[in-house]
Amino acid sequence: MIAQPKASHFIDGQYVEDSSGAAIDVIFPATGELIARVHEATPAIIERALASAARAQKEWARVKPVERGRILRRAADMIRERNQSLSELETLDTGKPIQETTVADATSGADALEYFAGLAPTVTGETMPLGRDFVYTIREPLGVCVGIGAWNYPTQIACWKGAPALAFGNAMIFKPSETTPLCALKIAEILHEAGLPAGLYNVVQGRGTVGAALVTDPRVAKVSLTGSVPTGRKVYAMAATGIRNVTMELGGKSPLIIFDDAHIENAVGGALMANFYSAGQVCSNGTRVFVQKGIKEKFLQRLKARTEAIRLGDPRDPDTQMGPVVNAAQMEKVLSYIEIGKKEGARLITGGQRAGTNAGCFIAPTVFADVTDDMTIAREEIFGPVMAVLDFETEEEAVARANATEFGLSAGVFTGDLARGHRVVANLEAGSCWINAYNLTPVETPFGGSKQSGVGRENSKAAIEHYTQIKSVYVNLGDVDAPY
Ligand code: NAD
């Protein structure tokens, strides 16, 4: 097994094994090869993770922010130095091409650690003068935070949750997706090598039941989930019973609106990036591509040509531009949506079937045109390389149809008229929007969804709100005025 970790879990500063937990096989989706086996956390493992995090957090909260930041900054540097090997592991874990993982995964995790390292010492309270008296506020950590990850960006998610939690004085217990359990262990290892005290970043493996055990433990102050809307509903409800803080980064069915006056090649490039990066397994993808009627056929012609030129293949090959989807179950799900698209009358422009002949989970990048709002492929999140192109006539119509969904994660607009770009974005119900771009998510930018796509924001200064709480202190400088 070429990617077997030292042990399944990382707790209290070290690798820990308990093979009595149910086995989780890790499969490289390009070949079907078994690359590692980890074990689900048992109640004893979960207890060790919680107890060590609770203990370590109390000490960590007393460490000066600049010192906390220094450790995170060191970890960021180490991640960048080890980018190649971390990217190779991410490629094995997820099947994403090495071309992508070397620029988008560990590196974006390092960015988060570096950013929050710098932000940590800037977090301060306020003073409110009240005549003779005054009030001051302290921004305090929440305590023990639980992070639960999806399988599409395992390294990035481990860092996007861990970096702000640690920077502001919390501990993090991270449960990776059972589909991609390997990369978070490396992040834990690096953080501790960089000087993070034991217990502050624990990784435990497991399926939903392990997640649920963490979410419902009374020692946990906050839960941050990246996952689907149905999982979000369950986790949010469980967190609510303990009145815990939550961040919910959930799914989407985001619109990308392309007007007649857009630069065609840029718009096609944007639509490709919005649908085929990571084989379409990106939560913020613009999977409903609304194209204004005047440029429809020209747009489709260029889209078809550029889609058919995408190099599918072994994700370890640096020339490969698209790898497999994450596993056989996901492949079957995506293929079934493709069949539904055909059956419901969408016009297949290219793709539309499995690709390759081996055991790999490859799907040809697929484009449907003449998609209507009521079709299943225009309503449900597919999470694979399937683009739906819809046409529209007026700006008003495009905005109304773009908003007609329970999701609200992201949205994009391509237009040569910047005034229109701003106007349209102002009317779109989505947390992250792009004008003449798509899917760029630098750490300086708040990221998250509105409507059912989520609660809270990751990254940027907005994360301070989600990993700290305010204590207010009233200071009386005079006598106590009691009527009794
Ligand atoms: P998922 O919802 O199946 O699982 C997400 C995580 O939740 C996994 O770690 C899983 O083990 C855990 N989980 C499942 N049931 C649970 C329970 N009852 N209690 C606690 N934890 C539980 O999602 P997935 O298939 O891994 O990922 C794909 C989904 O994630 C898509 O919907 C995608 O849009 C979404 N996603 C969102 C973002 C974002 O930032 N908004 C980013 C990436 C992925």
Side-chain angles (χ1 to χ4, degrees):
M1 289 192 280
I2 57 174
Q4 184 63 27
K6 284 185 199 144
S8 298
H9 319 285
F10 194 98
I11 300 173
D12 211 6
Q14 52 191 322
Y15 278 99
V16 175
E17 192 54 272
D18 180 352
S19 52
S20 64
I24 296 174
D25 285 347
V26 192
I27 310 287
F28 179 43
T31 59
E33 184 189 345
L34 179 69
I35 56 166
R37 175 170 293 149
V38 296
H39 293 273
E40 235 178 329
T42 56
I45 287 286
I46 295 171
E47 178 53 35
R48 276 174 78 172
L50 284 160
S52 67
R55 186 210 68 232
Q57 192 272 327
K58 289 203 170 49
E59 294 291 317
W60 184 239
R62 288 196 279 270
V63 173
K64 283 188 194 151
V66 76
E67 287 175 27
R68 295 201 294 253
R70 200 174 297 137
I71 293 169
L72 301 190
R73 173 63 211 243
R74 212 176 290 140
D77 290 344
M78 289 165 67
I79 288 176
R80 290 210 180 87
E81 279 157 23
R82 298 176 198 180
N83 184 37
Q84 186 60 32
S85 65
L86 291 170
S87 303
E88 284 166 11
L89 186 64
E90 175 102 3
T91 286
L92 288 172
D93 215 5
T94 61
K96 296 194 292 180
I98 194 81
Q99 220 183 65
E100 285 186 20
T101 52
T102 46
V103 298
D105 292 280
T107 52
S108 74
D111 283 354
L113 287 160
E114 188 173 351
Y115 178 84
F116 287 107
L119 200 58
T122 72
V123 174
T124 56
E126 289 178 300
T127 311
M128 294 93 174
L130 292 167
R132 182 194 64 191
D133 300 344
F134 68 98
V135 167
Y136 65 93
T137 64
I138 306 171
R139 278 252 167 219
E140 294 184 331
L142 297 170
V144 175
C145 302
V146 165
I148 300 178
W151 43 254
N152 58 343
Y153 279 78
T155 306
Q156 183 185 83
I157 295 170
C159 292
W160 281 18
K161 297 191 190 307
L166 295 172
F168 305 136
N170 304 282
M172 167 62 60
I173 301 176
F174 187 75
K175 189 201 83 62
S177 163
E178 59 272 33
T179 309
T180 52
L182 304 178
C183 298
L185 291 168
K186 287 284 168 199
I187 297 302
E189 196 182 309
I190 287 172
L191 279 164
H192 288 84
E193 227 181 297
L196 190 73
L200 287 173
Y201 190 94
N202 295 332
V203 176
V204 297
Q205 307 293 351
R207 303 180 171 84
T209 46
V210 172
L214 292 168
V215 171
T216 49
D217 190 276
R219 284 164 287 187
V220 170
K222 190 222 161 82
V223 178
S224 177
L225 168 78
T226 298
S228 62
V229 173
T231 303
R233 271 191 206 108
K234 285 187 224 158
V235 173
Y236 200 172
M238 283 190 284
T241 57
I243 321 286
R244 289 183 232 301
N245 292 275
V246 294
T247 300
M248 294 280 143
E249 291 289 350
L250 309 178
K253 189 74 195 176
S254 300
L256 170 58
I257 304 175
I258 297 168
F259 286 94
D260 279 346
D261 62 358
H263 183 291
I264 290 252
E265 284 307 318
N266 285 343
V268 170
L272 293 169
M273 288 301 286
N275 281 273
F276 298 141
Y277 206 69
S278 301
Q281 302 161 116
V282 181
C283 52
S284 49
N285 268 357
T287 46
R288 291 183 295 144
V289 181
F290 291 92
V291 180
Q292 204 164 15
K293 280 201 171 136
I295 52 161
K296 178 183 165 185
E297 289 311 323
K298 194 165 171 212
F299 178 86
L300 285 175
Q301 190 196 337
R302 288 299 300 142
L303 183 64
K304 177 174 159 67
R306 288 178 64 178
T307 301
E308 287 172 355
I310 292 173
R311 286 192 297 274
L312 225 71
D314 189 324
R316 293 168 294 188
D317 179 344
D319 289 332
T320 292
Q321 294 175 314
M322 191 190 284
V325 295
V326 78
N327 59 23
Q330 187 63 15
M331 179 176 70
E332 291 311 327
K333 183 182 153 198
V334 175
L335 290 172
S336 79
Y337 273 113
I338 290 174
E339 288 316 306
I340 292 170
K342 291 176 188 166
K343 230 175 266 157
E344 291 185 358
R347 170 161 61 111
L348 186 66
I349 300 293
T350 186
Q353 76 282 320
R354 201 176 161 179
T357 49
N358 63 12
C361 302
F362 292 91
I363 297 173
T366 297
V367 176
F368 283 108
D370 302 339
V371 175
T372 53
D373 297 347
D374 56 332
M375 287 181 188
T376 308
I377 59 167
R379 286 186 290 107
E380 295 180 15
E381 184 182 46
I382 299 173
F383 226 57
V386 183
M387 185 191 312
V389 179
L390 306 92
D391 12 289
F392 74 96
E393 283 179 25
T394 68
E395 177 182 320
E396 212 177 23
E397 173 203 345
V399 169
R401 290 169 58 198
N403 286 339
T405 167
E406 73 265 29
F407 298 111
L409 190 54
S410 305
V413 183
F414 274 83
T415 176
D417 176 356
L418 266 186
R420 169 153 66 191
H422 292 291
R423 189 170 63 233
V424 167
V425 156
N427 289 314
L428 289 172
E429 296 162 0
S432 302
C433 297
W434 293 275
I435 298 175
N436 292 333
Y438 207 87
N439 264 352
L440 303 176
T441 56
V443 67
E444 295 87 347
T445 320
F447 183 77
S450 58
K451 293 157 89 175
Q452 296 201 20
S453 290
V455 176
R457 293 292 178 268
E458 292 196 306
N459 291 338
S460 77
K461 285 185 270 185
I464 298 170
E465 286 294 331
H466 300 294
Y467 282 98
T468 62
Q469 59 193 336
I470 295 177
K471 175 181 280 172
S472 64
V473 183
Y474 188 108
V475 182
N476 170 31
L477 296 178
D479 292 329
V480 174
D481 186 14
Y484 317 109

